[in-house]
Amino acid sequence: PKIYTDRDERNLINLCKKDRTKSSAVLANEWELENDRKASASLIRRILYQNKLEYKAAVRKPRLSKEHK
């Protein structure tokens, strides 16, 4: 049986859309605080992938070189 409901799934999607760069472990912790149920990071990734959401990593800015200074 699933440990989450459709409402929990929608809440998770909204959490993810607020900040797309959060890791699945951070999302799992936030989800646990809201729902009082444990969820693994892999479950979070699976739910997001089923809803066509993927992890987005922020692009790092390169450091200034000596030529820039």
Side-chain angles (χ1 to χ4, degrees):
K2 295 195 311 187
I3 66 164
Y4 59 93
T5 62
D6 291 337
R7 181 181 222 171
D8 295 335
E9 190 171 337
R10 286 192 305 271
N11 288 339
L12 176 65
I13 292 168
N14 287 334
L15 274 177
C16 179
K17 285 184 177 180
K18 284 180 188 174
D19 185 5
R20 295 291 302 270
T21 59
K22 284 185 183 175
S23 68
S24 54
V26 171
L27 286 172
N29 287 335
E30 289 181 7
W31 194 71
E32 183 179 346
L33 290 173
E34 286 187 5
N35 298 322
D36 296 328
R37 291 191 211 119
K38 284 201 166 215
S40 64
S42 60
L43 173 68
I44 300 298
R45 282 192 299 271
R46 192 175 331 123
I47 292 171
L48 294 178
Y49 187 72
Q50 288 170 353
N51 289 285
K52 308 217 180 338
L53 293 171
E54 294 179 359
Y55 175 71
K56 302 290 183 187
V59 176
R60 302 284 175 136
K61 290 184 180 180
R63 293 182 172 261
L64 292 177
S65 67
K66 291 179 182 178
E67 296 168 1
H68 291 120
K69 293 181 180 180

